[in-house]
Amino acid sequence: MASTQPFVLRWGVISTGRIAMEFVKDCLVDPTTRGTTDVLHKVVAVGSRHGAVQKAADFIAAHAKGEPIRAYGTYEEVFTDPDVDAIYIGSPHTQHYSNALAALLAGKHVLCEKATTSNSAELRHLINVAKERSLFFMEAMWTRFQPLTLEVKRIAEEGTLGDPVLLHADLSHDFDILNIPKTHRMLDPHLGGGALLDLGPYPMIWTVLALYEHPSNQKALPTSVSASMVKTPLTGVDMSTSWVVNFTETLRAQAILTCSMTLPTAQFGVTIRYRNGNIIIGTPIFKPSHFTVQYFDKPGSGIVIREEKRVFHYAGGGWHFEADEVARCVRDGKIESDLWGHDKSLLLMDTFDEVRRQGGYKLPEGVEKVL
């Protein structure tokens, strides 16, 4: 007889930054508020670097008051804690590889923030280690698991709109780069600074969902990537980047993607254009609350005869949906997610490697641990 008790996944959290804070707060949201009854999350440990145990303790007190969570002054103590099943990694991009590798070698499942690594070679090595040890590994592409995204995918693939032709997506934010220190994560190349690795995953997730995942694409990889970067003279990282991703092996589709760290985001968010209509996804594209589907009177006319808007609400920030996916995969003995598998993270990192190559943005010597 199957158990009616929810599967409990015990988390260790690496870093005490803003994203880690959002993740921890969402893990503490009652899962029944989002209709989840089969899994439950328990944060059991939080680690800070360089012996800063007080920083971890302050983080717990601020964001998980009353919860019995252990504070550690090193990441290693979290990795070796026997009560931890899975590690959430929220450290800067260029530390992800080392942190994830240490967690996997300690026998822990891993949910690693995007961009997963500094380059695709690092990511391939992590995936190989996870497979060798039968451990779950996933990029924390939280947008992919939100209810709105699942509904967009359903409508995009049910056939009425036809095949996708053009996708436009932007994520930008004005980080006021003239008035932040050059050691800030957005400016420091040693931290993978710049718009691409920080903001770029979000235009890419919609490209993966709408083009790569579309049944007509038959899982074909992009056939070409064309990119351009404008760098800041402050530190040489990219301040504005645009890239075009073509899928022409089975589809005839193109994604036109942009990100900038000196502008507010474009109001069009994500627009997916089909012969029979459009899907327009609101901003911010990492956590949109609504989308609109437009249907044309006939293919290619552009004359909208019907428009449907969908709005989504839920308790919490939206990070808990990816945590639920990890818990279910670990419970079921999977080493990757069906919704956001290793192939999709590799598609992102391979694309970003090519964008950086074409843009002439090389990370400093020693940052990339695997080449």
Side-chain angles (χ1 to χ4, degrees):
M1 186 172 165
S3 171
T4 56
Q5 294 298 312
F7 174 79
V8 179
L9 188 64
R10 302 172 301 175
W11 289 94
V13 173
I14 293 307
S15 126
T16 54
R18 188 186 68 81
I19 300 299
M21 175 266 288
E22 299 283 7
F23 182 79
V24 167
K25 284 168 66 176
D26 262 20
C27 281
L28 301 178
V29 171
D30 180 355
T32 62
T33 62
R34 58 186 180 274
T36 295
T37 58
D38 60 326
V39 294
L40 195 62
H41 305 284
K42 191 175 180 184
V43 179
V44 298
V46 172
S48 186
R49 288 184 300 159
H50 309 311
V53 66
Q54 190 57 49
K55 192 173 180 182
D58 291 345
F59 177 91
I60 293 165
H63 309 302
K65 204 167 185 178
E67 293 291 320
I69 302 172
R70 288 187 282 282
Y72 290 121
T74 66
Y75 293 168
E76 290 69 24
E77 290 170 288
V78 181
F79 300 149
T80 56
D81 188 319
D83 293 332
V84 170
D85 304 313
I87 300 290
Y88 169 79
I89 295 172
S91 53
H93 312 309
T94 52
Q95 296 168 17
H96 289 172
Y97 170 76
S98 299
N99 295 159
L101 181 61
L104 291 168
L105 293 177
K108 308 300 186 187
H109 305 289
V110 170
L111 176 65
C112 184
E113 266 308 331
K114 72 212 87 61
T116 32
T117 48
S118 301
N119 63 31
S120 60
E122 290 183 348
L123 178 56
R124 283 183 166 83
H125 185 234
L126 291 178
I127 291 169
N128 288 338
V129 172
K131 287 179 176 177
E132 286 167 5
R133 293 170 177 259
S134 298
L135 293 167
F136 179 83
F137 177 87
M138 188 175 84
E139 178 180 21
M141 188 57 80
W142 63 309
T143 309
R144 181 61 184 84
F145 305 98
Q146 294 165 19
L148 177 144
T149 308
L150 303 182
E151 183 64 6
V152 167
K153 181 175 168 65
R154 185 191 69 76
I155 293 170
E157 296 180 3
E158 56 86 19
T160 305
L161 291 167
D163 287 349
V165 179
L166 272 177
L167 180 146
H168 305 259
D170 174 82
L171 182 66
S172 298
H173 181 77
D174 188 349
F175 284 89
D176 193 18
I177 62 172
L178 294 177
N179 294 304
I180 58 175
K182 291 180 181 178
T183 52
H184 189 283
R185 65 182 173 85
M186 292 304 296
L187 283 178
D188 190 347
H190 290 89
L191 298 178
L196 181 67
L197 292 182
D198 195 87
L199 303 170
Y202 293 106
M204 278 298 297
I205 188 272
W206 291 105
T207 303
V208 172
L209 179 111
L211 305 187
Y212 176 71
E213 290 186 20
H214 196 281
S216 296
N217 186 53
Q218 300 173 32
K219 296 187 177 178
L221 291 169
T223 42
S224 67
V225 175
S226 304
S228 180
M229 282 183 168
V230 175
K231 297 180 201 170
T232 170
L234 293 170
T235 59
V237 304
D238 67 303
M239 55 193 287
S240 295
T241 295
S242 61
W243 66 110
V244 176
V245 185
N246 287 340
F247 289 81
T248 59
E249 190 175 315
T250 53
L251 279 178
R252 287 292 178 271
Q254 185 176 76
I256 302 161
L257 312 173
T258 53
C259 59
S260 175
M261 62 180 186
T262 58
L263 287 172
T265 203
Q267 288 308 302
F268 60 75
V270 180
T271 302
I272 312 167
R273 299 164 66 188
Y274 304 79
R275 288 266 294 152
N276 301 338
N278 303 310
I279 298 177
I280 302 166
I281 298 161
T283 58
I285 67 171
F286 50 80
K287 190 182 71 169
S289 62
H290 64 276
F291 72 93
T292 300
V293 188
Q294 298 175 333
Y295 297 94
F296 299 159
D297 63 341
K298 60 184 179 181
S301 74
I303 299 171
V304 177
I305 56 165
R306 184 160 55 95
E307 195 169 86
E308 296 175 357
K309 184 175 182 179
R310 294 288 311 275
V311 180
F312 291 76
H313 303 283
Y314 44 81
W319 281 267
H320 38 43
F321 298 112
E322 68 177 359
D324 291 348
E325 175 73 3
V326 177
R328 291 179 182 123
C329 289
V330 169
R331 177 196 65 196
D332 298 342
K334 294 181 178 180
I335 61 169
E336 62 181 308
S337 164
D338 294 334
L339 296 188
W340 193 257
H342 298 157
D343 60 322
K344 296 169 190 176
S345 296
L346 285 167
L347 195 164
L348 260 68
M349 290 313 304
D350 283 335
T351 300
F352 291 163
D353 283 358
E354 179 60 17
V355 172
R356 283 199 299 113
R357 187 190 71 77
Q358 292 185 29
Y361 176 12
K362 292 185 179 180
L363 295 171
E365 189 80 25
V367 167
E368 297 167 278
K369 303 298 187 288
V370 185
L371 295 169

